[in-house]
Amino acid sequence: MATSTSLHSKGATTARSVWRETVAEVAERATQMLPECHGRIEAAVKMILAGDVELLPEGKAKVASQSNGTTEYIVCNGTCECKDFPKAPNGWCKHRISAGILKRVEERLQSTVSSPRDDHADPLSDAPVESPHGIDPRFITYLHGKPFIRYAGLLAMAHERGLVSLEATFISVTDQLALATATAVFSDGRRFTECADATPTNVPPHIRPHFPRMALTRCKARVLRDALNIGMVAMEELGEGE
Amino acid sequence: MTIILSPEETARWEEGGWLSLEIQETVLEDIERQHITEPVVMTLAHGTVAFGVTGGEVR
């Protein structure tokens, strides 16, 4: 009986060591892939080792808050409910990172097939499904099977890439046509200018009374698409019947 | 689960643009409001599949 306990204890210790080593390996790989998230990855590892991360069915995960003992965040489809998610680089908050690391760790440990390591694989397996142009799927809306980027996504990406100024002004406004131009300036000195139009018939019905505003939004969307090298049309550029 | 759009909604969907988007977003809101978690297939009145929804997103 004592031997059995001893063996069990030794086995458990070894298993725990392997698990911790695997967590460290995956975390290191994550740091290489996401160097800007170094602090968040460290926090994520602490949460995993503390047992605060639980993988749920359908790719979801439940992560306990570090700031208090009662809140739990659900990570799902590449998103998290926490306040840091919108601010974190590409949405990689510590909760989402922890879920991604743990998922990869479990996959590695459960794998019974001896195969070469895939060094090109994403270290965080809850990474969103690859989307057109490598854009965060949160910012893409599919309509009739075609992807459209949201203005909010363009703005977020532009800020990430050093947008320092975005100005839009009307060129002319009549009761049937509004023309506007926008200029975006980036921290490296690059400067982009674009124009756009709006009419009462090519804007959503609820915006029709204020259609000139859409010309401003559209030219800003276009100039950001130019600056970010995104060919995908913005949802805000969509007209009726397109 | 399959949801069939009415002939009026089908006509608006087939118009495209903002009218389609309005229908799509209304459907997503309805699904979320009713806490439907299973995959949903939206079909037009004449049976053509318009789009599918899983995990709260259009696929």
Side-chain angles (χ1 to χ4, degrees):
Chain A
M1 188 66 180
T3 305
S4 172
T5 304
S6 172
L7 283 174
H8 175 75
S9 174
K10 186 180 178 184
T13 304
T14 305
R16 178 77 180 167
S17 300
V18 170
W19 183 75
R20 290 179 69 96
E21 283 169 15
T22 309
V23 170
E25 282 175 18
V26 175
E28 187 180 337
R29 181 88 182 113
T31 306
Q32 290 169 5
M33 297 291 286
L34 304 167
E36 69 276 26
C37 294
H38 180 71
R40 291 183 175 90
I41 292 170
E42 279 189 347
V45 169
K46 285 180 186 169
M47 289 191 291
I48 292 169
L49 297 180
D52 289 335
V53 186
E54 180 186 349
L55 297 180
L56 303 173
E58 299 177 352
K60 297 178 184 176
K62 186 164 67 176
V63 185
S65 169
Q66 282 186 304
S67 53
N68 66 64
T70 55
T71 307
E72 288 180 329
Y73 298 111
I74 299 294
V75 177
C76 175
N77 288 329
T79 64
C80 180
E81 304 161 320
C82 76
K83 288 179 182 174
D84 185 47
F85 175 76
K87 296 180 284 185
N90 293 316
W92 284 113
C93 65
K94 61 187 177 187
H95 309 105
R96 191 174 160 221
I97 290 172
S98 66
I101 290 175
L102 185 59
K103 192 172 176 186
R104 176 51 65 95
V105 166
E106 295 209 346
E107 282 173 358
R108 281 198 187 187
L109 294 176
Q110 286 172 6
S111 173
T112 55
V113 180
S114 176
S115 58
R117 279 183 59 181
D118 181 6
D119 283 333
H120 298 290
D122 188 328
L124 304 175
S125 54
D126 96 320
V129 175
E130 190 175 333
S131 58
H133 303 264
I135 298 165
D136 190 326
R138 290 177 300 151
F139 299 135
I140 293 180
T141 296
Y142 284 86
L143 188 61
H144 288 270
K146 285 171 60 179
F148 293 88
I149 187 164
R150 293 274 185 183
Y151 176 71
L154 289 169
L155 202 54
M157 291 172 72
H159 278 290
E160 274 179 16
R161 298 184 194 182
L163 178 70
V164 292
S165 163
L166 179 59
E167 293 181 2
T169 54
F170 286 115
I171 298 171
S172 71
V173 178
T174 68
D175 58 355
Q176 290 301 313
L177 175 67
L179 293 171
T181 180
T183 298
V185 181
F186 286 74
S187 55
D188 59 4
R190 289 178 306 143
R191 186 182 187 89
F192 300 85
T193 298
E194 252 292 4
C195 301
D197 67 83
T199 71
T201 58
N202 72 5
V203 299
H206 65 281
I207 293 179
R208 204 158 282 163
H210 321 287
F211 75 91
R213 277 193 331 216
M214 189 54 100
L216 294 174
T217 305
R218 283 176 175 165
C219 63
K220 287 191 287 185
R222 280 187 177 176
V223 78
L224 293 180
R225 288 203 297 120
D226 284 356
L228 299 168
N229 195 24
I230 293 174
M232 188 190 303
V233 175
M235 185 57 81
E236 287 73 11
E237 293 178 76
L238 195 63
E240 192 172 31
E242 285 179 35
Chain B
M1 174 188 286
T2 300
I3 299 176
I4 303 171
L5 295 176
S6 69
E8 294 75 25
E9 289 169 329
T10 297
R12 286 163 60 204
W13 172 262
E14 290 180 334
E15 278 285 310
W18 293 109
L19 297 175
S20 296
L21 182 65
E22 191 178 24
I23 287 183
Q24 191 168 288
E25 294 197 331
T26 302
V27 168
L28 287 174
E29 285 170 11
D30 285 348
I31 288 172
E32 188 181 0
R33 197 178 306 118
Q34 294 174 49
H35 304 292
I36 296 171
T37 54
E38 64 181 295
V40 174
V41 176
M42 297 298 309
T43 68
L44 305 180
H46 45 69
T48 304
V49 173
F51 57 93
V53 179
T54 56
E57 291 185 5
V58 172
R59 307 291 180 186

